[in-house]
Amino acid sequence: MLITCPYCGPRDVSEFAYQGDGNRTRPDPASTDGDAWHAYVYERLNPAGPHNEIWQHAGGCRAHLAVIRDTVTHEVSSVRFARDHGAPAHVRRKSGAKA
Ligand SMILES: [Zn+2]
């Protein structure tokens, strides 16, 4: 499987680290809504088909990427910088981008 990093170009998946489901939205840190925190921490989508995922180019430029990958065929249909496209806040902080 190849992932095309916007900085580095097409690279083997072995250079990348899966960072999780790209569909999660972190609740406000001041929130005490237990259901919202439970959903954020424990609930994951597991679709058979296209899935929004966060990957880090750990063996390259270290950028966090928002990837749409088909979980059945492993076809990657979209790769964008996660910081520009709704990555979870904890991923944005790791990449050094401003929250
Ligand atoms: Zn890269």
Side-chain angles (χ1 to χ4, degrees):
M1 184 172 103
L2 293 177
I3 295 177
T4 302
C5 174
Y7 280 134
C8 309
R11 296 289 192 270
D12 188 79
V13 71
S14 63
E15 293 188 10
F16 295 83
Y18 181 71
Q19 297 288 308
D21 184 345
N23 297 298
R24 297 182 303 147
T25 302
R26 187 177 182 152
D28 182 336
S31 170
T32 58
D33 182 349
D35 290 339
W37 280 106
H38 182 276
Y40 176 73
V41 173
Y42 295 109
E43 294 177 6
R44 302 288 182 270
L45 295 176
N46 188 22
H51 186 226
N52 296 323
E53 301 173 333
I54 303 297
W55 289 76
Q56 182 186 21
H57 195 184
C61 65
R62 305 196 61 78
H64 287 87
L65 306 172
V67 174
I68 298 177
R69 179 182 65 93
D70 190 306
T71 59
V72 176
T73 64
H74 299 292
E75 177 188 358
V76 174
S77 59
S78 173
V79 180
R80 302 171 294 171
F81 291 115
R83 66 176 178 253
D84 298 333
H85 299 282
H90 72 283
V91 173
R92 279 188 257 140
R93 280 198 302 272
K94 283 181 183 176
S95 70
K98 294 178 182 173

